[in-house]
Amino acid sequence: MVKSYVDRKEFKFLENRKKFLLVALCVICLGVLFNVFRGVKLDIKFTGGAMLKYSYALDKSVSASDVSASDYMKLDKTKVAAVVKEVTEKDSTITIAQSATSEGGVKNTVTVSMSGKNTIAEDAGEQVAQKLTEQYPKVNFSLLESNSVDATTGGEFFGKCLVAVILAAVFMIIYVALRFKKIGGMSAGVTAIIAIIHDCLIVYFTFVIFGFSIDDNFIAVLLTIIGYSINSTIIIYDRIRENRTIMGDKASYAELANRSLNETLGRTINTNLTLLAAVLTIVIVAYIYDIRSIITFAVPMMAGVIAGAYSSMFISNSLWVTWREYRDRQMALKKAASFGKKKKK
């Protein structure tokens, strides 16, 4: 339906390329402001530290039908942090959540995150569980997960993740440059990577704005969006290459890119709407069941999909046209200067 409608329209995208680029720049500036004033949170996988996760439930001696039973399940984050401080001598961040179980019940969890250069003792997790049970005698605590990461190891892991992203970008420039020599391979490759940098920044700013910690989900979203965005850009470049043969050298870069964008617009919109609908469904389900690990992946993924669609349609092509037009002007000036020198001689 969307494709049939847009196929009948002829949009003048390249006439508004400066506006499209300005919108992207404004969004990035807004993200920078959030980054400055809110700051970024790094997960312990990157900074080093420890994470303890517990499940807790009422003791069997307490009847679930008791009116006051729910009061026993209300944990005070300050008290929990004090217990952790007593055992580990470290400050911590406490997260309390609920999630659905496969049996249809509710699972209560409390997560303790501690950043620092030194890891915690192996038995610290069990000691904290015992102390919490003493603090809340009618509630039983069970250690579900215990992770401890040395700061040096975390830094190395973060560095390797960044190298993976950079290598992916470099290989994409090479691939696009070789595949699209006919339309200026290097200009196509570089402008495609600039669009990808835009997408990566939007994903990063989404983590900052929503207060998500930068963790392995961040790297996973980046790599996914890089692949998705470059694929969308390549499809448009491929159509530009085909239209150059059809329209000939007399067609301007703006006309060439504009027709190619219009011809691929229906496919781009339908693909992105389908993907957004799928990711949005995941987000809704994850929020209902409070699956935070899914939320911190799906929400930035949605932002990345939108950014990827925008950049592949409006940023890479606008920059490519601007680059090619500038190059032609410079070549014309050089020829004119060279002709002038010959004429004087």
Side-chain angles (χ1 to χ4, degrees), residues 124-339:
E126 293 295 344
Q127 291 180 25
V128 171
Q130 293 174 6
K131 290 286 185 180
L132 286 174
T133 303
E134 293 174 6
Q135 186 75 33
Y136 297 92
K138 296 186 182 288
V139 179
N140 289 327
F141 290 84
S142 299
L143 181 63
L144 296 176
E145 187 179 347
S146 176
N147 291 320
S148 188
V149 181
D150 181 76
T152 304
T153 304
E156 291 176 355
F157 178 57
F158 186 62
K160 289 177 181 178
C161 290
L162 289 180
V163 169
V165 173
I166 293 170
L167 285 177
V170 170
F171 284 124
M172 284 176 188
I173 289 179
I174 297 172
Y175 170 74
V176 174
L178 293 175
R179 180 172 175 178
F180 298 103
K181 286 182 179 180
K182 189 174 180 180
I183 61 171
M186 184 55 67
S187 59
V190 173
T191 53
I193 292 304
I194 292 173
I196 286 176
I197 292 173
H198 162 270
D199 303 338
C200 292
L201 286 174
I202 297 301
V203 169
Y204 169 75
F205 293 140
T206 303
F207 272 82
V208 173
I209 291 170
F210 283 89
F212 299 152
S213 296
I214 300 294
D215 55 7
D216 44 5
N217 269 354
F218 172 70
I219 303 299
V221 175
L222 282 189
L223 293 175
T224 303
I225 292 301
I226 286 174
Y228 175 79
S229 180
I230 196 66
N231 178 65
S232 187
T233 300
I234 284 175
I235 288 172
I236 298 173
Y237 280 163
D238 201 43
R239 187 57 61 90
I240 290 175
R241 182 177 58 179
E242 293 173 0
N243 284 334
R244 173 55 78 193
T245 302
I246 296 170
M247 299 172 68
D249 294 334
K250 291 184 178 180
S252 68
Y253 294 113
E255 291 172 341
L256 188 63
N258 201 73
R259 175 178 288 189
S260 301
L261 277 171
N262 276 281
E263 289 176 351
T264 57
L265 183 59
R267 177 261 177 205
T268 303
I269 292 176
N270 284 330
T271 301
N272 283 280
L273 286 178
T274 302
L275 183 55
L276 278 175
V279 178
L280 180 60
T281 302
I282 295 173
V283 171
I284 293 172
V285 173
Y287 265 108
I288 291 174
Y289 292 103
D290 195 26
I291 310 174
R292 187 167 179 81
S293 60
I294 300 297
I295 293 172
T296 58
F297 176 85
V299 172
M301 183 69 181
M302 284 186 63
V305 169
I306 296 171
Y310 187 89
S311 66
S312 63
M313 291 173 62
F314 305 129
I315 296 179
S316 57
N317 292 283
S318 297
L319 292 175
W320 176 79
V321 170
T322 303
W323 182 319
R324 301 304 295 176
E325 289 177 345
Y326 174 78
R327 175 182 172 276
D328 285 358
R329 286 196 301 270
Q330 292 299 111
M331 290 181 66
L333 289 172
K334 287 182 179 179
K335 286 182 179 179
S338 176
F339 179 76

Side-chain angles (χ1 to χ4, degrees), residues 58 61-74 138-139:
L58 283 174
S61 62
V62 181
S63 173
S65 60
D66 190 339
V67 177
S68 61
S70 60
D71 295 334
Y72 301 133
M73 299 297 289
K74 294 179 181 178
K138 296 186 182 288
V139 179

